[in-house]
Structures are given as structure tokens and as C-alpha cells.
Amino acid sequence: AQKVTQAQTEISVVEKEDVTLDCVYETRDTTYYLFWYKQPPSGELVFLIRRNSFDEQNEISGRYSWNFQKSTSSFNFTITASQVVDSAVYFCALSEPSGGSNYKLTFGKGTLLTVNP
Amino acid sequence: DGGITQSPKYLFRKEGQNVTLSCEQNLNHDAMYWYRQDPGQGLRLIYYSQIVNDFQKGDIAEGYSVSREKKESFPLTVTSAQKNPTAFYLCASTRQGNSWETQYFGPGTRLLVL
């Protein structure tokens, strides 16, 4: 079963539009961590945010905001007033214990965001 | 500047050839990871190492091998047993390998088969 689902494969918007990227996850653990990464065309994954399962406060960082809702197992990412430089693939990821001191980071398949001028 | 470097940026492999991808970090991190990314897919874990001289298989270890002789270095060898090696390979590291830690990534190596 897919543990991290990013249902939107591709999104295309015009500059200055707001856009929300969806992430739904599945876990049986009560303690887990959620991440968002940005992958620009250069390929390197850039860390954006980490959220633990006990902190449901929404977070805002400049034009970026995140909405974490445990009731719906979702961790959505909104970009306000999008810019061309926001064009990238965005990944949501779930970190949960996998036994002993090990853990597993599971990635969604990513959403390709294209912001057109 | 602290960070993770991967080389080469592009690598070409001939049939039956083993190739080695380099990953070096100067972040003083204990744990390192190798991922494979295929077009339109998320990242899949190949191998990880939480400490020098120890490493564990990830979800898709078949056809790959690693070593961890130094804390800073975690090279990945793609062997001839890996029948479909064309992909983008990403190396990552964390301070101690705990579930709450953020993984930081290198720039990646694109492997192509001739």
C-alpha cells in the first residue's frame, strides 16, 4: 500500500496565482515526521520543512505555508503568489520507525509544478 | 562550506561493467543513504549506513554494493547484476540516523547505459 500519496502528478499555474500541493499519508505509528522537499531542474533535493506528529500548528514561511491535519492524514503545502522560480518537483515524505533503531523515509511520487510567466 | 558532493555528475556504463558513484560529506554526519530516482517516481532507498563499517540493505539493494570505510565517504557500486541501472542517484546524510532528523541531499549522479 502506498504510504505517501501525492495525487497531483502535474500542476500548471500562471505567475502570482496561489497553488496548493496535496499530500496524504498512511501510518500506524503515533510518532512520525513529515517532510517537504523541492527538486528544481538541477536535481538536488532541497529541504523545505519538517513537522512532527504531535505538532499540528500550521506554519508559514514567507510565501510558503503548510497545513497539517491528523484527522485527515494530510500535510498540504501552499505557495502564495507563485513565481517562475517556484517551478520544480515537490516531494512529500514520511519518516516512521521500522524496527529497533532504524527508521524509514518514504517519499511520494512528487508533483511537478510549472509556473508560467 | 559544509555539504555533500557527488561525482561524477553524469556516468556512462557499458554492458557488463561495474561502475562506482562517489558520495562525500563534510558535515560530520554519522548516517548516509543512497537513493534511486526514476522518471516520474519518488525516491527509493538502496542502502544506508548509520556508522562506519556498517551498512544495511534498503528496498532495492539487488545489483548494488556499498562500503563505509570512512565517516565522510559512502561509495555506491552499480554491478553488472543490475539490469536496469539507468536512473538518477542521490546520496543523503543525517547527523545520527534518527527518525526525526532531516536528510540532506547531494546534487546527484545521472547514470546512463551505453
Side-chain angles (χ1 to χ4, degrees), chain A:
Chain A
Q2 191 170 8
K3 292 205 166 185
V4 179
T5 302
Q6 294 181 255
Q8 304 147 309
T9 307
E10 294 187 36
I11 299 176
S12 182
V13 299
V14 177
E15 210 169 13
K16 297 184 184 176
E17 280 186 34
D18 297 348
V19 57
T20 296
L21 309 182
D22 298 333
C23 174
V24 174
Y25 62 92
E26 179 187 330
T27 181
R28 294 180 182 176
D29 294 300
T30 54
T31 302
Y32 53 89
Y33 299 83
L34 295 160
F35 300 80
W36 275 95
Y37 285 88
K38 174 182 179 179
Q39 186 177 41
S42 60
E44 182 173 348
L45 260 71
V46 177
F47 165 70
L48 295 177
I49 191 171
R50 178 186 65 193
R51 174 65 70 214
N52 75 58
S53 53
F54 298 106
D55 181 2
E56 288 195 70
Q57 272 195 330
N58 292 330
E59 180 151 342
I60 298 174
S61 175
R63 295 184 297 106
Y64 295 171
S65 62
W66 290 268
N67 184 334
F68 176 33
Q69 293 203 337
K70 285 178 78 170
S71 60
T72 55
S73 296
S74 64
F75 187 41
N76 297 336
F77 173 32
T78 298
I79 302 175
T80 303
S82 59
Q83 300 176 0
V84 173
V85 293
D86 295 327
S87 297
V89 179
Y90 291 86
F91 290 98
C92 179
L94 166 70
S95 175
E96 53 186 341
S98 65
S101 61
N102 298 321
Y103 75 96
K104 185 169 180 179
L105 185 62
T106 302
F107 286 84
K109 293 189 176 182
T111 297
L112 172 62
L113 174 64
T114 302
V115 181
N116 298 298

Side-chain angles (χ1 to χ4, degrees), chain B residues 90-108:
Chain B
L90 286 155
C91 178
S93 71
T94 58
R95 195 166 60 85
Q96 290 185 323
N98 295 306
S99 60
W100 57 84
E101 293 180 275
T102 299
Q103 290 191 15
Y104 293 96
F105 286 81

Side-chain angles (χ1 to χ4, degrees), chain B residues 7-18:
Chain B
S7 62
K9 189 172 181 180
Y10 295 95
L11 186 57
F12 298 91
R13 192 191 94 162
K14 295 180 182 176
E15 288 261 348
Q17 188 180 43
N18 292 354

Side-chain angles (χ1 to χ4, degrees), chain B residues 2-43:
Chain B
I4 302 174
T5 57
Q6 290 186 242
S7 62
K9 189 172 181 180
Y10 295 95
L11 186 57
F12 298 91
R13 192 191 94 162
K14 295 180 182 176
E15 288 261 348
Q17 188 180 43
N18 292 354
V19 292
T20 298
L21 285 61
S22 167
C23 177
E24 304 274 332
Q25 53 96 3
N26 61 2
L27 300 167
N28 200 30
H29 284 179
D30 285 332
M32 297 184 74
Y33 311 82
W34 273 107
Y35 290 92
R36 170 180 171 140
Q37 183 181 18
D38 293 283
Q41 301 295 314
L43 280 67

